[in-house]
Amino acid sequence: MKKALVPGTFDPITNGHLDIIGRASALVDEVILAVAASKKKQPLFTLEERVELAQEACAPFSNVNVLPFEGLLVDFAKECGTSIVIKGLRAITDFEYEFQMAALNDHLSKGFETIFIMSSPEYMFLSSSIVRELASLKTPADDFVPACVSQALRNKY
Ligand code: COA
């Protein structure tokens, strides 16, 4: 049974993430959506809120389970019984950082495999901070996020 992690801060989860998650879920038997505490990023949504929103947004995918984690990604992957991570790649600017992370994770845990899925063109520009910025400026972000996230953003601002 092939299991893979799709990690991120998901502050909040967007349609761009769901594009990658849906495509990842078609490639493996189980996807664990690993929601990082990412305290350094000082997320807008608490870890519990991010997990709840991701669970609601991922409900259509029967083989996706959402779990929170703190600490190293490679340690959490080991706990989950996998050494495969799937990440979305949006633009050339993502590549350098992702290349560094993939190499570091392979160094920390030999054989750790990072697989990249190219983001669909309509989501190439999307990020969670863009969505937060739109919402903070009272501009609906409904085109970019699932309905539960739209509502949560309205409640926050
Ligand atoms: N669609 C839309 N947005 C996307 C996207 C996609 N397909 N892919 C990435 N993004 C956005 C994210 O929402 C995030 O937006 P933001 O910075 O505006 O909030 C941004 O692109 C960066 O994404 P990512 O590189 O996935 O960062 P992240 O903060 O979401 O997650 C972790 C990074 C959690 C995977 C990484 O920090 C980690 O592994 N942490 C654990 C500690 C660890 O092991 N560190 C490495 C060794 S020191």
Side-chain angles (χ1 to χ4, degrees):
M1 179 158 149
K2 281 263 178 279
K3 201 193 275 188
L5 293 192
V6 175
T9 305
F10 303 109
D11 185 36
I13 192 162
T14 69
N15 291 342
H17 292 127
L18 290 169
D19 165 47
I20 301 298
I21 294 161
R23 289 159 63 197
S25 76
L27 294 176
V28 293
D29 301 300
E30 184 184 354
V31 167
I32 296 172
L33 193 78
V35 184
S38 296
K39 285 182 182 149
K40 269 208 317 220
K41 277 192 147 183
Q42 299 187 299
L44 173 67
F45 290 97
T46 66
L47 183 55
E48 291 72 23
E49 287 171 332
R50 285 179 279 134
V51 167
E52 271 176 33
L53 289 172
Q55 275 168 339
E56 199 169 336
C58 292
F61 308 115
S62 59
N63 62 340
V64 176
N65 290 310
V66 183
L67 292 174
F69 82 100
E70 277 196 77
L72 284 178
L73 181 65
V74 291
D75 290 342
F76 184 63
K78 243 178 239 163
E79 258 176 57
C80 294
T82 184
S83 56
I84 303 171
V85 158
I86 300 180
K87 291 218 73 184
L89 204 56
R90 289 166 302 167
I92 293 174
T93 44
D94 275 350
F95 180 79
E96 203 170 316
Y97 170 76
E98 293 298 349
F99 185 76
Q100 187 184 21
M101 280 299 136
L104 178 67
N105 286 333
D106 178 62
H107 178 82
L108 293 172
S109 175
K110 260 281 142 276
F112 199 82
E113 206 61 79
T114 305
I115 297 170
F116 293 103
I117 295 182
M118 289 299 293
S119 173
S120 297
E122 63 265 43
Y123 302 123
M124 280 282 176
F125 64 93
L126 193 53
S127 73
S128 297
S129 33
I130 282 181
V131 162
R132 293 195 303 273
E133 171 122 20
L134 283 172
S136 74
L137 298 170
K138 310 277 184 262
T139 307
D142 304 12
D143 289 345
F144 309 124
V145 292
C148 60
V149 171
S150 279
Q151 191 53 53
L153 284 165
R154 280 199 192 92
N155 296 344
K156 277 279 178 203
Y157 293 103

